[in-house]
Structures are given as structure tokens and as C-alpha cells.
Amino acid sequence: MVVEQLDGRRDRGLRNKQLIVSAFLDFIREGVVAPTAQEVSERAGVGLRTVFRHFQDMETLYREMAHAVDAIIAPALQSPIEGRTWQDKLQHAIERRSAMFEQLMPIHVSTLAHLHTSPFLRQKHEKSVALQRMLLQGFLPKKIQNKKATFEALDLVLSLDTWVRLRRDQGLTPEQAKKTVRQLVERLVEGS
């Protein structure tokens, strides 16, 4: 009987935690950069104390948000960039990044808003930038990588930050943003 009660409490606690994280992420996907604990508790259907019991500070909630980001990124990291030539691979990378960045965009915008207060988010952001750069280096030929200005420009154009700028700030559709990225990449590659 006592074991069943403990299991029931544990299961309910895990379920509540999942509801809280889902509510938090739903707000972020809707464009609410910093939802309050009260808003999250109402949407999750749990008490405000339950939110604070599971997440004593925002760093803990940010760590849970990072798991959602990892779930979006993982499939792309598990499969290689496709293509016979590095140019084909570059086109595949644009396609793949566009789809992934579209999903990551609201979370990234929220992350940027909190970088100044969160050591965890700053570290995750730095790792994300380094990962994007490393993946690009993984298939670009040395002749492109050695042209510092060209490589840096490609790294910028193919970044999540550029995607956010094109989509959110410039109001382009996903297809228009992808076309813009392709055109910029082609010009950079032709110029090198």
C-alpha cells in the first residue's frame, strides 16, 4: 500500500513536470519569450507551488528546454550530409538547416532574451554556434575553409541567427528565407 502511494506520487510528479515543461515550451513557440510561473501553472493545470517545487530556479527550466532543442537537433546529427560533391552537400545542408532552424527559431529567440542572466544558456549558445561551425567545416573543402572571409561569411549566412533575422525581422516565408540563403551561399562560393 505504501509502495503504491509512493509510486503514485512519483508518477504524478513526473506527469506534472512534463505538463509544466510542455506549457513553458508552448508559450515560447507562440512567441511569449518569458512566460511567468503563474501563466505556466495555469496552462499546465497545476498549482503555482507545484511549478516552484519542480523548478526552484529558471536554470532548471532552461535545462529542460535544452532537452527539447536536443530532440530537434539529434536526428540531423545522426545522419550524414548527403551529396556526391561538396556543392551538393552544401545544398543539402541548406535544406536540412532550414527545416531544423524553423523548429528551433522560437526557442532560440527566447534563449537570446535570457543569455545575460543564465550561465547555462550562454554555454549552450556557445556550443550551438561551435557545432554549426564544425558541421560546416566537416564537408567544405580546405580551399574554401582557408579563405577566411568566405568561410566566415558562409558560417554567418548558414547560421540560426541569420534564419531568425530573415524570418522574424524581415518577414520572409520559410521558402523565401531558404531561397535568400541559397542565393547568398551561391554568390559567396562563386566569388571564391
Side-chain angles (χ1 to χ4, degrees):
M1 174 87 167
V2 173
V3 173
E4 288 177 14
Q5 286 178 331
L6 290 175
D7 286 346
R9 275 191 211 148
R10 191 186 80 236
D11 291 346
R12 188 171 55 252
L14 289 173
R15 192 171 46 254
N16 285 343
K17 186 176 182 179
Q18 290 170 341
L19 289 169
I20 293 164
V21 171
S22 291
F24 183 75
L25 288 170
D26 286 346
F27 274 117
I28 288 172
R29 286 184 185 110
E30 293 166 10
V32 179
V33 175
T36 66
Q38 181 69 39
E39 291 170 326
V40 171
S41 74
E42 288 172 7
R43 178 160 299 180
V46 301
L48 190 55
R49 267 199 267 170
T50 302
V51 172
F52 289 118
R53 186 170 43 251
H54 286 287
F55 302 99
Q56 290 86 19
D57 58 20
M58 289 306 290
E59 288 292 286
T60 311
L61 194 50
Y62 294 149
R63 288 180 196 283
E64 290 296 326
M65 187 171 70
H67 293 306
V69 170
D70 292 344
I72 293 169
I73 294 172
L77 294 178
Q78 292 170 356
S79 62
I81 299 286
E82 297 172 7
R84 284 185 312 107
T85 66
W86 68 266
Q87 292 94 336
D88 293 342
K89 290 179 180 183
L90 188 56
Q91 292 304 314
H92 183 247
I94 292 169
E95 197 65 38
R96 193 156 88 171
R97 285 184 183 207
S98 298
M100 186 172 48
F101 288 172
E102 191 63 21
Q103 293 178 61
L104 291 173
M105 185 171 54
I107 297 170
H108 183 67
V109 169
S110 178
T111 297
L112 291 176
H114 300 288
L115 280 181
H116 68 288
T117 61
S118 171
F120 174 76
L121 289 179
R122 271 194 307 278
Q123 181 184 40
K124 286 297 279 186
H125 180 70
E126 289 167 5
K127 284 182 179 180
S128 173
V129 170
L131 177 64
Q132 290 174 60
R133 188 177 183 84
M134 182 192 71
L135 292 173
L136 188 58
Q137 288 169 324
F139 65 85
L140 284 180
K142 289 292 180 199
K143 69 179 184 178
I144 299 289
Q145 291 183 49
N146 291 337
K147 292 183 179 179
K148 182 132 177 82
T150 300
F151 179 77
E152 296 300 337
L154 284 169
D155 189 33
L156 173 67
V157 169
L158 292 167
S159 72
L160 179 52
D161 292 308
T162 297
W163 187 259
V164 170
R165 169 80 187 262
L166 291 170
R167 291 281 292 115
R168 190 186 69 170
D169 300 335
Q170 294 179 217
L172 300 182
T173 65
E175 208 48 51
Q176 291 169 327
K178 191 177 0 175
K179 183 177 179 183
T180 301
V181 168
R182 271 204 165 85
Q183 189 172 26
L184 288 167
V185 165
E186 286 169 12
R187 294 229 169 106
L188 286 167
V189 170
E190 286 169 7
S192 65

